[in-house]
Amino acid sequence: MPLSSKETLDLFGKYMIGNYGRAPLSIVRGQGSYVWDAEGKKYLDLLPGLGVDGLGHCPPRVVEALRKQAGEMLHIHNNYLIEGQARLAQALLKHLTGMGEAKAFFCNSGTEASEAAIKLARLWGKKNGGKWKIVSLENGFHGRTYGALTATGQPKLQAGTEPLLPGFAYVPINDAKALEKALEDKEVCGFMAEPVQGEGGIFPCTKEYLDAASALCKKRNVLLMYDEVQAGMGRTGDMFAYQTLGAPAPDILWLAKALGGGFPIGALLARPEVAEHLVPGTHGTTFGGNPLACAAGLAVIETIEQEKLLQHVRIMGEHLGKGLLGLREKFPKLVKEVRRIGLMAALDLTVPGKPYLERCRAEGLLINCTHDTVLRFLPAMNVKREELDEGLRIVEKVLGAEMK
Ligand SMILES: Cc1ncc(COP(=O)(O)O)c(C=O)c1O
């Protein structure tokens, strides 16, 4: 018998560090876009696993691949060849465009992938004129470990944990002039950006901006680096977000979240002339690219390909976007803006979003609220039209109730 949500809450109070703002709900089961709490209540989850469960909860191919792999080999360390790593790299790199004969490195999470990217940029930079500094975007998010946190241009997330890493500078999104100025520093080795800022509230870089960024990076011999931890793996309607934006390919790109379909894995992909700077002794991880994680990743890619999910994401994304725009028309005083690309969407409110989030949950809909006013939707890539409609109806009801 699972514990009740209340019993689990009590255990948390007694034994767990309180570093998360958790809803008092113990979620015990999931299938597709639905989850059930310990009391048996069903919820529509339009933010499954904060983007991790990109194929919904317990996608059958991933579950099966994990079961099979678990019976053969759970873990073997990186001093041996791991077939799944090579096969996953091959499957991923097949979808990459404009990065030459790129190579892959696997780790366990988004923040680890950001760390690997920062280290690789420095290793490359030291050999390319002694450069070591990084420029990133204000309002970005790259993770919680020190390199990734320093790259995260959000002082509120850094507060109290200083000193951060030296050598980081921040520029506003979609401001090519500001980037041009920042790259005048001859010690800069890399410019990193999320092609679509996710945690920051769904703000896409424009194609024009990334075109300009790519040209500026080339001119200054600086690496162009895309963090696609949240926007990558099909979420925007292409395997990689820069492809949806029609933006230039980067020198380094990294992934995590949906790559493992619920199992932890991160990946860094780099052009060969950059990748060659990660040599034995420079970087590594004990767990990274373990056989289970790679089996999950392969099953994710196979599912995206075989179920033609990229096309589905584009169609469902438009449907969600229309619905959200309808809500903006219906509630102009409450909804400031709708931002969307593929199945990444934000309903930016004129008021704090938390009370609405809580009412959505009470009505059986799970989403989240970021940056105080942004209701964020990252539905599973195989979400059904009826499920989106169900979610939109709940949001409409919740927004409407507030108007009275
Ligand atoms: C763009 C981006 N980069 C990095 C991270 C950090 O990933 P993780 O939480 O797996 O460390 C996140 C997590 O939300 C993210 O959205």
Side-chain angles (χ1 to χ4, degrees), residues 172-240:
I173 189 172
N174 293 333
D175 182 342
K177 281 261 167 309
L179 180 60
E180 185 172 15
K181 192 150 186 358
L183 296 192
E184 279 169 9
D185 183 339
K186 292 195 169 52
E187 290 186 314
V188 172
C189 65
F191 164 59
M192 65 193 262
E194 293 161 85
V196 184
Q197 290 187 330
E199 196 274 343
I202 318 296
F203 288 100
C205 291
T206 62
K207 167 181 160 41
E208 294 68 35
Y209 178 62
L210 293 177
D211 279 341
S214 172
L216 287 167
C217 285
K218 281 208 176 80
K219 183 171 151 198
R220 299 275 177 194
N221 197 25
V222 164
L223 296 178
L224 181 62
M225 307 160 67
Y226 291 163
D227 178 342
E228 295 217 7
V229 164
Q230 188 165 145
M233 292 311 296
R235 177 152 296 287
T236 60
D238 291 276
M239 193 58 95
F240 303 107

Side-chain angles (χ1 to χ4, degrees), residues 50 52 108-114 140-145 148 152 194 196-199 227-231 254 256-257 265 376:
L50 253 173
V52 166
N108 305 289
S109 66
T111 203
E112 277 188 36
S114 296
F141 188 82
H142 300 289
R144 301 285 193 162
T145 52
T152 292
E194 293 161 85
V196 184
Q197 290 187 330
E199 196 274 343
D227 178 342
E228 295 217 7
V229 164
Q230 188 165 145
W254 57 108
K257 287 203 188 270
I265 181 168
R376 180 168 43 158

Side-chain angles (χ1 to χ4, degrees), residues 29-47:
R29 190 163 72 84
Q31 194 63 59
S33 288
Y34 290 97
V35 293
W36 287 261
D37 69 14
E39 285 64 44
K41 180 169 171 181
K42 185 180 178 186
Y43 297 83
L44 172 64
D45 190 358
L46 292 188
L47 192 103

Side-chain angles (χ1 to χ4, degrees), residues 11-345:
L11 286 180
F12 264 77
K14 245 178 155 166
Y15 298 115
M16 290 292 297
I17 292 178
N19 61 313
Y20 298 104
R22 297 176 192 265
L25 271 193
S26 171
I27 302 289
V28 293
R29 190 163 72 84
Q31 194 63 59
S33 288
Y34 290 97
V35 293
W36 287 261
D37 69 14
E39 285 64 44
K41 180 169 171 181
K42 185 180 178 186
Y43 297 83
L44 172 64
D45 190 358
L46 292 188
L47 192 103
L50 253 173
V52 166
D53 301 297
L55 303 176
H57 294 276
C58 297
R61 278 195 185 82
V62 175
V63 171
E64 190 43 43
L66 283 170
R67 282 210 172 103
K68 183 164 176 292
Q69 184 60 49
E72 289 166 7
M73 166 78 67
L74 291 178
H75 183 80
I76 178 77
H77 58 84
N78 277 307
N79 291 354
Y80 300 103
L81 299 175
I82 299 174
E83 181 189 325
Q85 277 187 24
R87 290 185 45 208
L88 178 58
Q90 183 183 35
L92 262 179
L93 294 168
K94 194 177 78 192
H95 289 274
L96 208 60
T97 45
M99 286 177 67
E101 299 285 306
K103 300 266 194 299
F105 162 82
F106 293 109
C107 52
N108 305 289
S109 66
T111 203
E112 277 188 36
S114 296
E115 294 295 334
I118 293 166
K119 280 181 78 173
L120 177 54
R122 281 190 172 179
L123 286 162
W124 174 88
K126 296 274 166 69
K127 297 256 170 74
N128 279 270
K131 303 191 252 204
W132 60 285
K133 294 181 181 168
I134 305 260
V135 175
S136 65
L137 292 184
E138 290 170 4
N139 193 46
F141 188 82
H142 300 289
R144 301 285 193 162
T145 52
Y146 265 99
L149 177 66
T150 307
T152 292
Q154 296 194 51
K156 72 168 196 273
L157 299 181
Q158 301 165 334
T161 58
E162 302 90 346
L164 300 167
L165 288 195
F168 280 75
Y170 313 94
V171 290
I173 189 172
N174 293 333
D175 182 342
K177 281 261 167 309
L179 180 60
E180 185 172 15
K181 192 150 186 358
L183 296 192
E184 279 169 9
D185 183 339
K186 292 195 169 52
E187 290 186 314
V188 172
C189 65
F191 164 59
M192 65 193 262
E194 293 161 85
V196 184
Q197 290 187 330
E199 196 274 343
I202 318 296
F203 288 100
C205 291
T206 62
K207 167 181 160 41
E208 294 68 35
Y209 178 62
L210 293 177
D211 279 341
S214 172
L216 287 167
C217 285
K218 281 208 176 80
K219 183 171 151 198
R220 299 275 177 194
N221 197 25
V222 164
L223 296 178
L224 181 62
M225 307 160 67
Y226 291 163
D227 178 342
E228 295 217 7
V229 164
Q230 188 165 145
M233 292 311 296
R235 177 152 296 287
T236 60
D238 291 276
M239 193 58 95
F240 303 107
Y242 76 89
Q243 296 167 333
T244 305
L245 293 171
D251 298 298
I252 304 176
L253 178 147
W254 57 108
L255 303 160
K257 287 203 188 270
L259 173 57
F263 200 89
I265 181 168
L268 172 137
L269 313 177
R271 287 184 195 268
E273 62 275 21
V274 179
E276 71 189 18
H277 294 268
L278 273 191
V279 294
T282 52
H283 195 54
T285 135
T286 300
F287 290 112
N290 105 342
L292 278 174
C294 293
L298 269 168
V300 166
I301 296 177
E302 195 183 291
T303 307
I304 293 174
E305 289 173 353
Q306 294 193 0
E307 297 184 9
K308 301 201 175 8
L309 288 182
L310 298 178
Q311 200 184 346
H312 183 74
V313 165
R314 285 180 220 135
I315 298 167
M316 288 303 110
E318 284 200 6
H319 187 66
L320 175 63
K322 263 190 212 143
L324 293 175
L325 285 171
L327 293 179
R328 192 189 60 178
E329 262 173 40
K330 190 154 185 190
F331 304 107
K333 289 209 180 96
L334 265 183
V335 180
K336 190 167 63 187
E337 190 173 52
V338 171
R339 295 182 292 275
R340 181 196 67 83
I341 177 167
L343 279 174
M344 285 181 97

